[in-house]
Amino acid sequence: MWDLLGALPDPRDPDACTYTMAQLLGLVVLLFCCRASSRRQWDRMTDDGMLRDNWCTWTGARTDTAALYGTVRHVLTQVEPQALRGLQVQIVRGLLRRKQLPGAHLLGRLLVAGDGTGIYARTGRDGPHCPHCLEQHHENGAVTYMHQMLDARVVSSYGMAIPLMSEPIENPPGQQY
């Protein structure tokens, strides 16, 4: 996994970096698994010595600090989304190859579930925040602008749901939600 994450293009000046791209993405995965629900909680969790030590062990980092939310956000906003395409599938493939998902099989087959989910919604008359927003018109005249995704996840008997692929749900050209 680390070779995949390390191979991603890094838009930063290498001489000015404290953390590698693989270390930053490893921290994102770790804090996702720990369910960091806000920026403030992220920063509190990265200040915890045990989490920092586990992150250093897991990623091979040699540091006394872990990246704050603002640092990771700044780096990830510079990465082209196309560079991350297919990364989920490659990581799951590696986990399966190393037999690290033993509870993810049913009758000898990989168990994959699909689910549609909303990732953004705002009701108001201000208009959509982007041209890709889905629109839902209500009887009272209000409009809900939203984004929804269709996710395929590897699910396991021990409660893990690992994202495999995601696809945005969009309106066909000229049609509404």
Side-chain angles (χ1 to χ4, degrees):
M1 178 171 84
W2 301 117
D3 53 336
L4 291 172
L5 297 178
L8 291 173
D10 193 340
R12 305 170 296 162
D13 174 14
D15 296 330
C17 296
T18 304
Y19 312 104
T20 66
M21 185 64 82
Q23 291 168 338
L24 291 176
L25 291 171
L27 184 59
V28 170
V29 170
L30 181 62
L31 289 170
F32 175 77
C33 292
C34 292
R35 299 178 186 228
S37 59
S38 67
R39 297 173 187 178
R40 184 175 297 161
Q41 185 180 13
W42 173 300
D43 289 344
R44 268 190 250 130
M45 291 173 81
T46 56
D47 196 36
D48 179 80
M50 184 179 291
L51 182 128
R52 188 178 53 247
D53 292 346
N54 287 334
W55 171 65
C56 287
T57 300
W58 190 46
T59 63
R62 302 279 184 255
T63 180
D64 294 330
T65 62
L68 297 174
Y69 177 85
T71 301
V72 175
R73 183 177 184 276
H74 175 73
V75 172
L76 291 181
T77 57
Q78 298 178 53
V79 175
E80 289 294 323
Q82 298 296 11
L84 301 173
R85 189 172 299 266
L87 190 60
Q88 292 168 294
V89 173
Q90 292 174 340
I91 290 173
V92 169
R93 187 176 290 142
L95 291 170
L96 290 168
R97 196 174 307 124
R98 289 188 303 279
K99 301 187 187 306
Q100 295 186 350
L101 297 175
H105 292 83
L106 179 65
L107 302 174
R109 302 281 185 192
L110 186 63
L111 190 56
V112 177
D115 186 25
T117 184
I119 58 170
Y120 170 83
R122 182 181 61 142
T123 300
R125 294 186 172 88
D126 298 334
H129 83 282
C130 79
H132 304 289
C133 281
L134 298 175
E135 297 179 12
Q136 184 177 27
H137 297 265
H138 304 279
E139 290 180 6
N140 65 1
V143 180
T144 299
Y145 300 97
M146 61 190 138
H147 289 272
Q148 296 185 345
M149 299 290 284
L150 181 61
D151 279 341
R153 294 177 179 255
V154 174
V155 293
S156 71
S157 60
Y158 47 87
M160 291 288 284
I162 302 168
L164 184 61
M165 295 179 176
S166 300
E167 185 70 26
I169 298 171
E170 298 177 342
N171 287 335
Q175 295 184 10
Q176 291 184 3
Y177 177 80

